[in-house]
Amino acid sequence: MAENPMKNLKIPMTTVGSGDEVELRPDVYGLTLQFVNVAFIGNPGSLRDWVLIDTGLPQSADKIVKVANERFGTGARPTAIILTHGHFDHAGSAVELAQKWDVPVYAHQLEMPFLTGKSKYPSYDPGVEGGLNSRLSAVFPNQPVDLQPYIHNLPMDHSVPGLSEWRWIHTPGHAPGQISLFREEDGTLIAGDAFITVDQDKLWDSMIQKRELCGPPRYATTDWTAARESVERLASLRPQYALTGHGQPMMGPDLTEGLPRLAAHFDEWAKPSHGKYVDHPTNEAPGLGDDERRHTDM
């Protein structure tokens, strides 16, 4: 039975961009919920032929449903929900939406312990080099949700259910099974938190949505070598448009020139000088056997 222990949790943080909606591409639509982004992929008016990427914070379901109905038509229901990873600000309303719409939810196999109620994420790091948001992370929830029976592994061939032109890419570091989504035809990237376009560690920069290409949020990133390799992997794709988990969409030279620079200087610019996961990384999900681990780095 699907269960969300965070369903009544209110996160008292927001930004000036909360509620903003933006059309990155004709069929890629972003919505900011307090301080995190979700994406709707599908043409306007396509009542049942669209996919939701991430579900935001707890208590975000009603707003997501409202925007979906406005964009796709009253009674809109997606083909599927795809989770870039299972942190509280990305899967916070997944249970409620899966139940309301009765649709499958897909995530990387390494996220399954955190999405089936089996394991908590590693604790956040309030002592990491960063700003006030990093300090506040001590109170951020890391408990798992249970999305059974809706949750499924993403296909091993990198296809994305409901999105034939897209493929998923494993981009760990911030979370063991984090993924990004890429459409080669026009270079559109849904990055998750592999990199973001605001310094999420600094409370003021986050609140005013100061535009800056950054690595993943420091307080929740547990393997900095994997995080760097993920940014390098995404930079090699040469994306033209990017929607990230936090911050404003990015395109043009800010992205095409900025992302390769971030990849080249990742250890200098993005990696913190100190923090409990800097010298002692952890990027494995509990509860998987050796054979399962061999088949997850896709």
Side-chain angles (χ1 to χ4, degrees):
M1 182 74 176
E3 182 179 2
N4 183 6
M6 300 181 289
K7 64 182 179 181
N8 295 319
L9 183 66
K10 292 184 178 181
I11 308 297
M13 295 174 59
T14 192
T15 67
V16 297
S18 184
D20 283 356
E21 301 174 29
V22 60
E23 188 174 82
L24 180 64
R25 306 295 293 145
D27 63 343
V28 178
Y29 199 72
L31 167 66
T32 301
L33 297 160
Q34 294 179 235
F35 58 86
V36 67
N37 300 319
V38 304
F40 304 81
I41 303 182
N43 291 311
S46 53
L47 195 64
R48 301 293 169 86
D49 190 19
W50 60 280
V51 170
L52 177 68
I53 311 300
D54 286 340
T55 66
L57 293 153
Q59 301 193 36
S60 296
D62 288 347
K63 177 63 175 178
I64 290 172
V65 170
K66 179 177 182 292
V67 172
N69 287 338
E70 291 171 351
R71 183 159 177 84
F72 300 112
T74 302
R77 187 179 71 180
T79 303
I81 297 170
I82 310 294
L83 297 178
T84 61
H85 58 297
H87 285 163
F88 74 99
D89 51 342
H90 293 259
S93 294
V95 169
E96 290 74 21
L97 290 170
Q99 290 175 330
K100 177 177 180 60
W101 286 326
D102 191 24
V103 296
V105 181
Y106 293 90
H108 192 281
Q109 185 177 2
L110 287 175
E111 291 297 285
M112 289 301 149
F114 317 116
L115 298 172
T116 56
K118 294 178 180 178
S119 299
K120 292 182 178 181
Y121 276 103
S123 59
Y124 300 119
D125 184 6
V128 72
E129 179 194 11
L132 186 55
N133 270 354
S134 295
R135 305 294 175 267
L136 294 173
S137 70
V139 300
F140 292 169
N142 68 334
Q143 62 258 55
V145 299
D146 188 353
L147 276 161
Q148 299 177 98
Y150 301 98
I151 190 68
H152 304 276
N153 291 328
L154 281 161
M156 295 296 288
D157 63 3
H158 290 255
S159 62
V160 181
L163 298 174
S164 61
E165 297 177 342
W166 296 72
R167 62 186 174 99
W168 64 265
I169 301 156
H170 188 200
T171 50
H174 182 64
Q178 179 174 250
I179 63 156
S180 303
L181 305 174
F182 186 63
R183 182 167 62 188
E184 190 169 3
E185 178 184 2
D186 61 356
T188 301
L189 175 68
I190 310 294
D193 285 357
F195 67 88
I196 55 179
T197 60
V198 65
D199 191 339
Q200 188 64 21
D201 298 287
K202 297 177 180 177
L203 180 62
W204 179 251
D205 287 7
S206 173
M207 286 178 63
I208 67 171
Q209 292 287 277
K210 181 180 177 182
R211 189 181 178 89
E212 180 183 358
L213 196 59
C214 298
R218 290 177 170 182
Y219 54 81
T221 298
T222 57
D223 186 330
W224 286 98
T225 298
R228 171 175 47 77
E229 292 170 349
S230 292
V231 171
E232 292 171 344
R233 187 174 301 128
L234 295 180
S236 72
L237 300 174
R238 299 181 179 179
Q240 302 299 304
Y241 308 89
L243 182 66
T244 63
H246 306 274
Q248 302 173 47
M250 188 169 283
M251 63 194 76
D254 286 348
L255 178 65
T256 59
E257 299 174 12
L259 187 56
R261 283 198 299 265
L262 177 63
H265 297 277
F266 186 89
D267 285 348
E268 176 187 356
W269 294 352
K271 182 179 177 180
S273 62
H274 61 267
K276 67 179 178 180
Y277 299 117
V278 174
D279 297 319
H280 303 284
T282 176
N283 201 31
E284 287 193 345
L288 293 178
D290 291 341
D291 185 62
E292 291 172 302
R293 295 185 199 281
R294 283 196 295 270
H295 291 284
T296 53
D297 191 15
M298 301 289 289

